[in-house]
Amino acid sequence: MAQRMTKITPIAASVALTLGLAGCGSDNDRNTYVPPVESVISSDDAQFNVEITGKAVKGAMKGAVVSVMTLDASGESVPVAFRLEASAEAETFTGEATSQDAADAAVEASKIAGNPDALITNDSGRYSIYLEDDFSGPVYITVTTSEEGDDSFLRCDAYVGCGTYDEAPEVDDVNDGDTNIEFGEWYKADLELSVVKYVAAAEADSSEASGAAGDANVARSFKANVTFLTTLVAQALLEAEGEVDADAIASTSLNTVIQVLGPDAAVLLSALIGDLSNGGAVDLSDVDGEESLSQGVLMLAQLSSSVQGLPSISDSIESIKAGIAAGTLSTTDIATTLQTAVSSTASVFVAIATGDEDAIKTALEAAYLANNPDATAAEISAFAQNSAGIAANAKAAKDEAVKNGAATDAALAELAGTVQEALEELGCTGDECVAGDDFFADLAVALSAQIDASTTELTALQASVDAAEGMLADVQALGGDAITDADSAIEFVAAVAALENKAEAADLATATDIIYVKAQGYVSTASLLVAENTDYQGVLDTATDLQDEALVEVENVSVYELALAQLVLDAEAAIGEYEIVVEAAKEIAMDTADVADEKKTAADTAEAASTSALADAQAAVDSGDDAQATVELVDAAVTAASEFSAAVDALELAIEQALEAATAYEAVAVTEADMAEAADLVESAEMMAEAAVTQAELANEQLVTALSLQAEAELAVATASVKETSESLSTMTVLTSTGGDALYDTAEVLFDVFEELADMGESGSGTSSAHPEWAYEYSLDDLTLMLTNSTTDSMITASAAYQDDQLVVAWGGMLTTESDATVELVTGDVAADALEECKAFADGTITDSTQIDSCLVFTFDGDVSADSVDDAELTMTQAWNRVEIMDGDSGFMGTLNLSGMEETDMAMLELAGMSGDLDFSVMSEVDSSGDEDMTMLEIKVNGDAAMGYTLSMSGSESAGYMGDVKAMYDGMMMTFGTATKVTNGVSITYIDDEVIEYTDVTLIDSSN
């Protein structure tokens, strides 16, 4: 640490002495006294062991220039000292100046002067830097590729491509030699991405995490990926020109994600939303497995991929940034363009995760058309010619991601649909853009679920680490003093080699690092929640506990790998000491061949299980007997096929290790017997490798088939659910005529009676001349009326008032229809209060119809009163009614609203409420302006089980009424059947070709 000191230097002393002697001369020597100048020296011991590491991905940015700065209190970027390697020991830095502050500044300048001349990313876009051990604050990192002048490149991970080359590159293992920049190809482009990472101060009791496995010099490690979204956040922070801390990063990240992706998608990013630099740096063309493909990570990867496919990445980022700053992103052209691109990417990924290359090719071509609506026929044809190759590359990239452990095949298939649904509607409008209590509650639930899942994962990983440590101890016991001769040395060397192979397959360092980085993200998001409401402290505590436990395993694995590295050195020493090069190579080759045989047996077993499960699933789908049981069988088939694929991946790694060992044995074999044996092992491994390729193809075919059956079975379940909803509706759709007819008829009676009473006395009773079945009692003084129908035992009470051009009526009663259904119009207990509510609603004071009881409003062509109503012309009739209906088959409780426009001959009915357990709504419009009534009907059923069921029909009596049945499926509305009005009901032809007629149903009644 700093050792500050102030002293007079020898130069200062000599100057003082000279001046002092000069003062002893003659008064005429014109010498003048100059006081001595004191020089301050400052020094500081520093170690650079705080690791900041990450990847710059848009796809991958290789050979890109990395700039590292910090931000001061005003948000301005200033230099910061860093190194490319962690310090093994402290360095001493000194500075000399005429003041303490200047000397301290000189010390910092000397540290910065030691910064590397250049820092560039590797082929995957990775970089690592090391800051001082006591550093805390924001780090501002930019990564830049250039179209000209350096060796930086950008990899295209947009499925529909990233434009064209000015000149076609040479053919190699990535580029195919044409001028199209296709998925997976490298190209030159001007692009700068950035990130702001906050490094918290080290805690006094910090256990000092090892960031790089085996590097004891790293005290703390932080992930700082550089992506499209981190760039938006970083630029917003810089433009705010304020102090940047963890809270500022979290709140800016939240606002950015909500505006770009929308609040629902933001909840899926619960693990990352507090600090987006912790994840999402995934190049879809080369997924290395360093990051799990969770729903949040996959969503960010697809978003980034989509942006790369736009005409200009930099211009797109600037447009998006401007939209976020203005709070109007969802209304901009770039938002529309981005939505199209993202939806296309999500559709292609679904095909990649669930289909074969033909399905991917079809999805690619559809995505190209969606993203390039103005493409010429020649351009469309050219893309189609290349799409098969792109599909093959995309599928290979997915297979490699699975092999690298980023996800299982089954998990990817499920995630693809989830992410597609989340990306279906980007952005936000109005209040959606502001994170409120409900959002944070949903975020807390989602985050807690993520923490629980990672805790379970960590528990399993801890068991794996414990097992690895146990195997390590067993092998260590074979070394050292236990080696007494060549045989024991061979045993030790072979055991070390076997342990190395197991460690390679387990890759515990990556697994523990993934969970630790996730936990850091959980803590960031939980801190954001606590800043909003301290009630979320429990979530933060759980996240912190997980982070601490994950850190322990990171350190355990680091110690394990250091010990394993030492064992390898010991094994090499034993080989030299006992001169067992051939013998050890033979033993290792034989052992690894045995392991490959074991993995082959496991793969064959998995193949048999998958084949059997697939056959059962196929039989169930073909029978169509029990849709739900079929779904369970196909789910089992998908799991079995995914496990088969994983078993083949493990086999391929074991074969690779066996071939490497056999080749090494062959290289050192001396005797003919050894050479022949080694050659046999090499040949056997090569034959196994060829067979494994065939088996991998079979595993993929079975997975694709199982996923196809799964989709078919799930669709069958959804179709069955739609049919059940249709059946439920068929028992109560009579409400659309029962309630509607009753209310229309009643409104007509009321209006006619009002007209009759206008010419009569102030009060009285009698029988309506227009409707003799109705008797009345009335008072014109207070505009009250009671109607009774002795034939049907119906009764209506009404109180009315004239209001400008309206006659407003608060009404209620019990109506009995010709079909013996009863319709109750609910009104307030106090007639005067009910009327005041209706008047307030009629004049717009009350705007929510659910806040009133039953009201009827007659609108005329001008102001009306009791004296003028006879001469006024009725222009519109409207009714808002709280209704309870019983028709003998099904009840209903809800609202039934009616309106009729005399001038346009338009009538509308809106019905919403509950019938039994069914929550539904009806919208019906009748246009009588032409020679024949034109009717439109839409029925929607609410609730998750109904899947957004919507039955729509329209037409006329002469032309017929036709429509369709739709419901939500796989994240979007899908047509499940076509509907036609028949003589006595409705006929629906479903997508499984079943035709069901729902008789005795009056969905459309032209008399309304």
Side-chain angles (χ1 to χ4, degrees):
M1 298 303 295
Q3 299 174 350
R4 308 294 183 187
M5 62 188 72
T6 303
K7 63 181 181 180
I8 299 176
T9 66
I11 294 176
S14 63
V15 169
L17 178 61
T18 301
L19 293 175
L21 292 174
C24 299
S26 167
D27 290 341
N28 297 324
D29 61 8
R30 308 179 67 85
N31 288 331
T32 305
Y33 174 74
V34 178
V37 178
E38 292 186 352
S39 178
V40 178
I41 294 178
S42 181
S43 66
D44 186 16
D45 293 338
Q47 282 187 277
F48 295 84
N49 54 16
V50 176
E51 180 186 53
I52 308 293
T53 183
K55 289 193 294 186
V57 173
K58 187 76 210 63
M61 302 172 71
K62 79 170 178 178
V65 177
V66 182
S67 168
V68 183
M69 307 285 277
T70 187
L71 301 176
D72 62 19
S74 63
E76 290 291 325
S77 59
V78 293
V80 65
F82 70 94
R83 300 293 183 265
L84 298 184
E85 294 182 358
S87 302
E89 56 186 24
E91 299 178 61
T92 300
F93 298 89
T94 59
E96 183 175 351
T98 57
S99 69
Q100 184 68 57
D101 288 344
D104 291 345
V107 170
E108 297 306 313
S110 67
K111 295 177 185 177
I112 293 171
N115 286 356
D117 294 332
L119 170 58
I120 62 173
T121 60
N122 68 7
D123 286 356
S124 63
R126 178 172 295 284
Y127 75 93
S128 293
I129 62 167
Y130 300 87
L131 304 172
E132 282 188 78
D133 56 350
D134 61 351
F135 178 87
S136 64
V139 185
Y140 174 49
I141 297 170
T142 63
V143 182
T144 307
T145 58
S146 301
E147 189 169 358
E148 296 178 353
D150 62 14
D151 292 327
S152 62
F153 286 89
L154 192 61
R155 181 157 49 202
C156 176
D157 75 338
Y159 294 122
V160 295
C162 302
T164 57
Y165 302 102
D166 292 334
E167 183 178 337
E170 294 182 3
V171 177
D172 55 27
D173 58 346
V174 174
N175 292 69
D176 60 8
D178 64 18
T179 57
N180 297 310
I181 304 173
E182 295 168 355
F183 180 76
E185 294 185 352
W186 293 103
Y187 67 105
K188 300 282 290 178
D190 291 326
L191 178 66
E192 179 180 286
L193 299 183
S194 55
V195 64
V196 174
K197 183 73 178 186
Y198 187 78
V199 177
E203 296 180 8
D205 60 349
S206 172
S207 55
E208 312 252 304
S210 173
D215 190 345
N217 298 324
V218 175
R220 293 182 291 149
S221 181
F222 297 87
K223 186 77 74 178
N225 292 314
V226 188
T227 65
F228 159 62
L229 279 180
T230 66
T231 301
L232 295 177
V233 173
Q235 296 307 308
L237 289 167
L238 265 65
E239 290 177 5
E241 298 181 347
E243 186 173 359
V244 175
D245 56 16
D247 290 342
I249 293 173
S251 60
T252 305
S253 298
L254 176 61
N255 177 61
T256 299
V257 170
I258 289 179
Q259 289 217 43
V260 174
L261 293 172
D264 293 340
V267 171
L268 295 181
L269 282 171
S270 58
L272 297 171
I273 204 167
D275 184 352
L276 294 168
S277 71
N278 279 320
V282 172
D283 180 342
L284 290 175
S285 68
D286 184 24
V287 182
D288 54 21
E290 292 182 9
E291 192 169 354
S292 296
L293 288 180
S294 64
Q295 57 188 13
V297 169
L298 189 56
M299 187 160 51
L300 294 184
Q302 291 188 20
L303 175 67
S304 179
S305 166
S306 302
V307 172
Q308 191 176 17
L310 300 180
S312 169
I313 303 174
S314 297
D315 289 348
S316 297
I317 291 176
E318 285 301 313
S319 297
I320 293 170
K321 184 177 73 173
I324 292 173
T328 59
L329 178 60
S330 63
T331 64
T332 62
D333 292 341
I334 187 62
T336 302
T337 302
L338 183 61
Q339 179 67 76
T340 300
V342 169
S343 296
S344 298
T345 299
S347 296
V348 172
F349 193 85
V350 168
I352 293 170
T354 62
D356 57 16
E357 290 183 21
D358 288 339
I360 301 170
K361 182 177 185 296
T362 300
L364 283 167
E365 292 171 5
Y368 179 81
L369 291 175
N371 285 275
N372 299 276
D374 299 326
T376 65
E379 290 170 335
I380 294 171
S381 176
F383 183 83
Q385 290 179 359
N386 291 333
S387 60
I390 300 171
N393 291 336
K395 183 182 179 304
K398 187 272 292 186
D399 291 343
E400 191 66 21
V402 172
K403 187 174 293 186
N404 289 335
T408 65
D409 281 307
L412 270 186
E414 182 177 353
L415 284 173
T418 301
V419 171
Q420 182 183 36
E421 184 176 353
L423 296 177
E424 188 178 38
E425 186 176 350
L426 300 180
C428 61
T429 57
D431 293 342
E432 287 182 334
C433 299
V434 180
D437 292 343
D438 290 343
F439 172 83
F440 285 110
D442 291 342
L443 184 64
V445 170
L447 179 62
S448 296
Q450 292 274 343
I451 295 172
D452 290 344
S454 292
T455 299
T456 300
E457 189 178 351
L458 179 62
T459 299
L461 190 55
Q462 286 169 329
S464 297
V465 173
D466 290 345
E469 290 172 337
M471 289 185 288
L472 176 73
D474 292 341
V475 175
Q476 287 173 325
L478 297 175
D481 294 339
I483 302 176
T484 56
D485 53 24
D487 289 342
S488 57
I490 293 171
E491 181 184 9
F492 170 66
V493 171
V496 171
L499 188 59
E500 266 194 298
N501 287 341
K502 290 178 181 177
E504 180 184 7
D507 196 9
L508 295 174
T510 297
T512 52
D513 186 61
I514 285 174
I515 293 183
Y516 178 59
V517 173
K518 279 185 180 179
Q520 288 178 316
Y522 298 157
V523 170
S524 295
T525 303
S527 298
L528 175 66
L529 287 169
V530 171
E532 180 66 22
N533 190 324
T534 56
D535 290 346
Y536 295 119
Q537 182 63 46
V539 179
L540 177 58
D541 293 341
T542 305
T544 303
D545 290 344
L546 175 64
Q547 179 181 253
D548 293 342
E549 292 173 10
L551 178 58
V552 171
E553 295 310 313
V554 168
E555 294 172 332
N556 287 342
V557 172
S558 178
V559 172
Y560 166 82
E561 293 199 338
L562 284 172
L564 178 56
Q566 183 59 53
L567 282 177
V568 172
L569 295 175
D570 294 344
E572 291 173 352
I575 290 173
E577 180 180 353
Y578 289 94
E579 299 180 349
I580 53 172
V581 172
V582 176
E583 293 84 351
K586 175 181 179 178
E587 189 70 18
I588 293 170
M590 298 294 287
D591 288 350
T592 52
D594 289 342
V595 171
D597 288 339
E598 293 172 3
K599 297 299 183 184
K600 172 60 176 172
T601 299
D604 290 345
T605 301
E607 177 184 340
S610 178
T611 302
S612 175
L614 191 60
D616 292 343
Q618 184 69 67
V621 169
D622 291 342
S623 71
D625 292 338
D626 186 335
Q628 193 58 53
T630 299
V631 167
E632 294 175 3
L633 286 173
V634 295
D635 286 348
V638 170
T639 300
S642 184
E643 290 174 351
F644 176 25
S645 181
V648 174
D649 287 343
L651 169 62
E652 288 181 323
L653 176 59
I655 293 171
E656 181 183 328
Q657 293 171 340
L659 181 58
E660 181 180 353
T663 302
Y665 176 28
E666 188 178 42
V668 299
V670 177
T671 67
E672 290 186 2
D674 285 341
M675 287 189 286
E677 186 175 46
D680 288 344
L681 288 171
V682 169
E683 182 181 5
S684 176
E686 290 174 342
M687 291 176 63
M688 288 183 72
E690 292 179 6
V693 170
T694 302
Q695 200 167 25
E697 291 173 352
L698 175 62
N700 182 72
E701 290 173 4
Q702 291 195 348
L703 178 64
V704 170
T705 301
L707 289 170
S708 177
L709 289 175
Q710 185 181 54
E712 190 174 344
E714 289 174 348
L715 183 58
V717 170
T719 304
S721 176
V722 169
K723 291 177 182 178
E724 289 177 5
T725 304
S726 295
E727 182 64 31
S728 298
L729 281 174
S730 71
T731 65
M732 38 70 80
T733 48
V734 69
L735 294 177
T736 61
S737 60
T738 299
D741 286 345
L743 294 181
Y744 268 120
D745 292 345
T746 303
E748 182 181 7
V749 171
L750 277 178
F751 183 71
D752 290 344
V753 170
F754 283 151
E755 283 192 319
E756 291 180 30
L757 299 182
D759 296 328
M760 299 176 68
E762 296 301 316
S763 63
S765 61
T767 301
S768 169
S769 59
H771 305 279
E773 70 275 18
W774 287 94
Y776 59 79
E777 291 184 14
Y778 74 96
S779 170
L780 292 182
D781 290 332
D782 52 10
L783 287 181
T784 60
L785 173 68
M786 176 179 289
L787 292 167
T788 57
N789 187 319
S790 59
T791 303
T792 62
D793 291 330
S794 299
M795 181 184 68
I796 303 170
T797 61
S799 57
Y802 292 105
Q803 180 171 266
D804 298 327
D805 61 347
Q806 297 173 326
L807 174 60
V808 181
V809 182
W811 63 338
M814 184 72 73
L815 312 174
T816 303
T817 69
E818 294 180 359
S819 59
D820 292 330
T822 58
V823 179
E824 180 182 357
L825 301 179
V826 179
T827 189
D829 294 334
V830 180
D833 293 342
L835 179 59
E836 287 302 313
E837 283 187 356
C838 289
K839 290 171 63 179
F841 183 69
D843 67 16
T845 304
I846 297 176
T847 58
D848 186 356
S849 62
T850 63
Q851 302 304 308
I852 61 171
D853 288 316
S854 301
C855 299
L856 179 63
V857 178
F858 300 103
T859 302
F860 299 87
D861 59 351
D863 289 353
V864 291
S865 65
D867 296 329
S868 63
V869 68
D870 282 347
D871 299 323
E873 183 177 342
L874 181 66
T875 60
M876 182 167 60
T877 303
Q878 295 170 288
W880 293 270
N881 306 285
R882 193 173 304 280
V883 180
E884 293 184 19
I885 303 175
M886 288 301 300
D887 61 7
D889 296 317
S890 59
F892 171 76
M893 182 178 294
T895 59
L896 180 57
N897 304 330
L898 307 163
S899 64
M901 299 287 292
E902 296 293 331
E903 183 177 352
T904 59
D905 287 331
M906 294 290 295
M908 178 179 293
L909 175 148
E910 295 179 12
L911 180 76
M914 296 290 298
S915 179
D917 295 329
L918 208 63
D919 180 0
F920 74 104
S921 63
V922 177
M923 170 76 74
S924 178
E925 290 184 2
V926 180
D927 181 356
S928 302
S929 61
D931 295 335
E932 186 179 12
D933 287 352
M934 298 295 295
T935 303
M936 183 282 292
L937 173 77
E938 182 177 85
I939 302 176
K940 292 184 177 181
V941 181
N942 304 316
D944 294 339
M947 309 185 310
Y949 179 102
T950 303
L951 170 62
S952 302
M953 297 184 72
S954 62
S956 64
E957 197 66 29
S958 62
Y961 301 92
M962 301 182 66
D964 56 32
V965 176
K966 292 183 178 180
M968 287 294 296
Y969 181 73
D970 202 17
M972 62 189 70
M973 288 298 287
M974 172 178 167
T975 299
F976 279 84
T978 57
T980 305
K981 183 179 183 294
V982 294
T983 302
N984 193 29
V986 176
S987 175
I988 299 178
T989 301
Y990 291 98
I991 56 175
D992 59 2
D993 295 328
E994 183 178 11
V995 179
I996 300 179
E997 289 196 357
Y998 303 93
T999 58
D1000 297 324
V1001 174
T1002 308
L1003 284 175
I1004 298 175
D1005 185 348
S1006 60
S1007 67
N1008 282 350

